[in-house]
Amino acid sequence: MDPVSDPLPSPTYERALDLLRELTAISSPSGDAAGLRRMAGRLGAALEEHGMTAEVRDEIGEGGAPFPVLLARGRDTSNGHLLLIGHLDTVLPATPPQVEGERLLATGAIDMKGGLATLVGALDLLRHRGEEPAPDLLLVTVPDEEVGGPISNQAVRDWGRDARALWVLEPGEPAGRDAETIVAGRRGMFQWRLEARGQASHSGLHYWEGRSALAAAARWVVGAEALSRHGAGPTVNTGRLVAGDATFVDDLAASAALFGTERQLNVVPDRAVAEGEARFLRAMESDELARRLEALARDIAVQTGTSVTFASGQYIPPVDPYGPQTAWTNRAVELAAARGWDLEVENERGGISFPNFLPDPGRIPVLDGLGPVGGGMHTREEFVDLRSFRRRIVLLADLLVEDAATRSY
């Protein structure tokens, strides 16, 4: 690799930027099958121009409707593959993209049409250099990531099973004018539900005969969130807490009119439900955290004379930042430095994303956050930093060359 000051020829960059403008102009919000299909078709055509074979398949999403999944393959994926993952959908319908200085303001500019255009730009750059990626390259682009849909999760499980590595085209984060991040680790999570049952009583006449389910749940919430630790430690968040008379809690839709009135304020509440999630960076923390939350429920039940039950829900594993990707993240940092900019490593990004749904996130190297940075994600102010777009095209091309050099065919 030749670390020159301008490693991206202007025509290559302009073609990539033109493609990004096209992709962001296509309206493809989650659930818009026609828009998603247009997006898959345009991206597939761009990838075929660079030697990949593109195929659009229909998969059944929520509600039983078919949605397009784009598969783009290199010359030979018969013995496993280097899996690149991305998504076609955006949160909002598209508005016309606009270039303002070093920013492209556009729907999905960083989440994540910028990452998809980066891949095409990297392949274009490799062609300019006379280089090629490994022939087992496989891009899977799904239609429902923004709604946490079943197609996205299942695609990662299915295609991740035979992958030798996973590279994710989601955006990194800005870390200063000449610094950006790549993601090495992602927290896992489980959702939880707490139910408390007490004894209702008249708060004026028989206050001391009551056993407040609300007070018991509130004490548990305070104790649970106190288990959160700054830095790499686990966190517990309560998303909602509903309490009151059992008839109120068990039929909230019918009882909503009680809010803002004086009705039932004289009742010691006998029913409470709290729901939330716990997040953690290491798998071993999950079981320990669930045990502590359950023990806290038992203790508070004894202290308050109520019934308090804790249950954990779906478990999503973490991606350990010190897993098999360490050498690759370090190498990415070195490649960026050779091109004159700083790439920092995020060891614990909190949001759940594609790598968390691998059958075993610790089995293969995961390079995450390869897409360009910007701001305003999921808003009308979303933009991609075009300096980052240039950097990421070169970085991805350099990484693809390094990867190809490690393979023997």
Side-chain angles (χ1 to χ4, degrees), residues 184-232:
R186 285 189 181 267
R187 289 176 174 266
M189 65 167 285
F190 62 79
Q191 294 179 338
W192 54 259
R193 178 181 174 90
L194 184 89
E195 296 191 21
R197 297 178 183 271
Q199 177 62 54
S201 67
H202 191 290
S203 64
L205 299 176
H206 304 290
Y207 176 80
W208 296 107
E209 295 176 15
R211 296 290 181 269
S212 174
L214 189 160
R219 288 176 66 173
W220 184 91
V221 166
V222 171
E225 297 203 357
L227 298 176
S228 301
R229 296 289 178 266
H230 284 286

Side-chain angles (χ1 to χ4, degrees), residues 78 81 101 162-163 195 281 339 371 386 404:
S78 59
H81 43 260
D162 295 325
E195 296 191 21
L281 191 56
R339 297 296 190 183
L386 295 177

Side-chain angles (χ1 to χ4, degrees), residues 135-343:
D136 63 350
L137 197 66
L138 171 65
L139 172 69
V140 178
T141 320
V142 293
D144 61 352
E145 191 276 343
E146 293 293 15
V147 290
I151 296 174
S152 296
N153 297 349
Q154 193 60 48
V156 176
R157 293 186 182 98
D158 290 346
W159 296 104
R161 193 167 291 115
D162 295 325
R164 60 177 175 84
L166 171 64
W167 292 9
V168 184
L169 299 171
E170 290 276 24
E173 287 286 330
R177 179 173 176 81
D178 291 313
E180 303 175 8
T181 71
I182 195 171
V183 180
R186 285 189 181 267
R187 289 176 174 266
M189 65 167 285
F190 62 79
Q191 294 179 338
W192 54 259
R193 178 181 174 90
L194 184 89
E195 296 191 21
R197 297 178 183 271
Q199 177 62 54
S201 67
H202 191 290
S203 64
L205 299 176
H206 304 290
Y207 176 80
W208 296 107
E209 295 176 15
R211 296 290 181 269
S212 174
L214 189 160
R219 288 176 66 173
W220 184 91
V221 166
V222 171
E225 297 203 357
L227 298 176
S228 301
R229 296 289 178 266
H230 284 286
T235 58
V236 181
N237 179 64
T238 303
R240 49 185 164 259
L241 171 59
V242 180
D245 176 83
T247 58
F248 171 79
V249 174
D250 292 340
D251 193 355
L252 290 173
S255 305
L258 288 175
F259 281 101
T261 73
E262 297 180 358
R263 295 167 57 196
Q264 294 190 9
L265 297 183
N266 61 346
V267 178
V268 173
D270 62 339
R271 184 88 164 90
V273 176
E275 296 174 330
E277 61 174 32
R279 299 200 182 219
F280 42 87
L281 191 56
R282 292 173 179 81
M284 67 181 67
E285 294 175 333
S286 171
D287 290 344
E288 173 63 19
L289 191 56
R291 282 193 295 269
R292 295 182 70 179
L293 293 171
E294 188 172 10
L296 181 63
R298 291 195 301 267
D299 290 345
I300 287 176
V302 171
Q303 296 164 15
T304 60
T306 60
S307 169
V308 184
T309 58
F310 167 83
S312 57
Q314 180 188 15
Y315 169 80
I316 299 175
V319 180
D320 189 337
Y322 305 107
Q325 64 264 25
T326 302
W328 273 107
T329 53
N330 290 341
R331 186 58 183 141
V333 170
E334 294 169 354
L335 290 169
R339 297 296 190 183
W341 59 283
D342 293 330
L343 185 64

